[in-house]
Amino acid sequence: MDSDEDISALLLDSARRNGLVLRDDTAVLDDTGWDFHVVRVLGRDGTPWILRRARRAGLAAAIEAESRVLALVGRRLPVAVPRWTVSGPDLIAYPMLPGEPAASEDTRTRELLWRIDRANPPQRYIDALARVMALLHRSELRELQSTGVPVRDPDAVREDFRARLETGRAELGMHVSWWERGLRWLADDRLWSPRCVFIHGDLHPGHTLVDGDGTLTGVLDWTDAEIGDPGQEFVEAARKFDPPTWDRLLEAYRLHDGPAWPGLRDHVRNAIAFAPLALGVLGLTSGQPRYVELARERLGVPTG
């Protein structure tokens, strides 16, 4: 495995070969992401830059799709998104966006460090996040399908969840009560969206940037963008907050004409409850034992 110094050196060398003039002594590696190594570094003119490098082979198509997505959504959203200067599997580089993550992970303890009030986030943050979600979910799909992002229909969304349930039962020691709850959820047509929409896919607080007043200024990391389940968007956007925030976000989403359906609230609550299952399955497929063990711990006891 490459050391932190090796990864940083690779990224800085790629940046130089692509014409970026940087202060190497300011480089700081952030290696908490699943898909990319990330280095933050200052340019000679003081501009802060983000450098990203794929962690594994096979991400070239996903990188191209993300680049096309950013070109589309950047013109349509009221907040900033990255503007890539360099794009390829060996290097993605762009000027850092203004603001700081609403929450960031401590690389040592894995705990979230909050820049807004987790228990009672500012209404301006909730409202702006809901507006971004509603705008994305109302997007015309034809142009977005051409970007190369994954495309699922409502039947595929449910089948994907059924497959995760099977994996949970077979490989994660999931308690039978979770299995039964999942089957009840699957069987209730009212709780599933009748349509799929364009979603960011990983809209957790660490990918939302805020200013000192908690105003949303930007949205990062569009790697998981797809045409899929609109309810899934709420899982990462809401589950790190206390439950009252979930309802505030849902209400703001409706006010911004997000494509809600009658069972959305219950769908979101089920999806948040089953988030450890999704994490455990991802841990199995990506070789992240910490997430597998966390899922086993959460799912091994009866669900309420």
Side-chain angles (χ1 to χ4, degrees):
M1 180 180 293
D2 292 331
S3 69
D4 290 357
E5 291 79 6
D6 291 338
I7 295 165
S8 295
L10 280 171
L11 278 161
L12 291 168
D13 183 59
S14 294
R16 278 192 295 271
R17 286 189 280 106
N18 279 277
L20 299 183
V21 182
L22 305 172
R23 291 175 49 193
D24 290 10
D25 61 307
T26 65
V28 176
L29 178 69
D30 177 354
D31 223 14
T32 58
W34 289 70
D35 295 316
F36 293 91
H37 304 290
V38 176
V39 163
R40 294 176 172 83
V41 62
L42 292 178
R44 288 290 183 188
D45 62 357
T47 300
W49 285 82
I50 296 292
L51 312 179
R52 297 168 65 192
R53 180 184 177 89
R55 285 182 175 273
R56 59 187 183 279
L59 289 177
I63 290 169
E64 290 179 8
E66 185 177 0
S67 177
R68 297 186 192 106
V69 163
L70 289 171
L72 287 176
V73 302
R75 302 194 301 264
R76 301 172 181 174
L77 294 182
V79 297
V81 302
R83 294 181 176 272
W84 290 359
T85 301
V86 181
S87 172
D90 293 331
L91 178 69
I92 295 166
Y94 61 90
M96 190 181 299
L97 300 182
E100 296 289 340
S104 55
E105 188 177 88
D106 185 300
T107 56
R108 183 177 58 84
T109 66
R110 301 292 183 176
E111 293 181 357
L112 285 180
L113 307 175
W114 288 87
R115 290 182 176 83
I116 59 176
D117 187 343
R118 174 184 175 274
N120 185 28
Q123 185 59 35
R124 65 176 69 88
Y125 174 85
I126 296 294
D127 186 71
L129 182 59
R131 182 185 178 199
V132 166
M133 292 168 63
L135 286 169
L136 293 176
H137 298 179
R138 296 201 312 267
S139 298
E140 163 57 45
L141 297 185
R142 186 178 297 108
E143 193 173 19
L144 287 158
Q145 287 171 334
S146 69
T147 63
V149 298
V151 177
R152 297 190 293 163
D153 62 25
D155 289 340
V157 168
R158 290 167 85 164
E159 282 306 309
D160 285 350
F161 178 68
R162 183 183 294 276
R164 286 200 297 273
L165 273 182
E166 294 283 2
T167 301
R169 183 169 67 165
E171 300 185 50
L172 294 174
M174 188 170 67
H175 191 275
V176 66
S177 62
W178 283 100
W179 169 258
E180 292 170 348
R181 177 177 176 177
L183 292 181
R184 289 195 301 273
W185 182 21
L186 274 172
D188 193 340
D189 291 342
R190 184 184 64 89
L191 302 187
W192 294 85
S193 173
R195 57 182 286 198
C196 284
V197 301
F198 178 70
I199 63 174
H200 175 278
D202 195 13
L203 206 55
H204 69 74
H207 290 157
T208 63
L209 300 175
V210 295
D211 64 15
D213 294 326
T215 299
L216 185 69
T217 60
V219 176
L220 301 174
D221 198 343
W222 294 74
T223 305
D224 294 309
E226 67 172 26
I227 295 171
D229 173 23
Q232 181 63 27
E233 192 88 285
F234 288 88
V235 176
E236 290 304 321
R239 74 183 180 92
K240 300 294 195 306
F241 295 99
D242 292 339
T245 297
W246 308 351
D247 286 328
R248 290 171 59 195
L249 185 62
L250 283 165
E251 178 60 24
Y253 179 77
R254 290 189 176 96
L255 290 173
H256 286 291
D257 295 323
W261 70 97
L264 173 58
R265 184 175 184 273
D266 288 337
H267 178 90
V268 170
R269 288 184 173 273
N270 275 296
I272 289 174
F274 276 96
L277 173 61
L279 190 66
V281 172
L282 188 58
L284 287 170
T285 58
S286 61
Q288 297 277 348
R290 182 169 71 90
Y291 296 109
V292 174
E293 291 309 311
L294 179 61
R296 287 185 173 137
E297 178 184 331
R298 299 280 181 85
L299 298 171
V301 297
T303 177

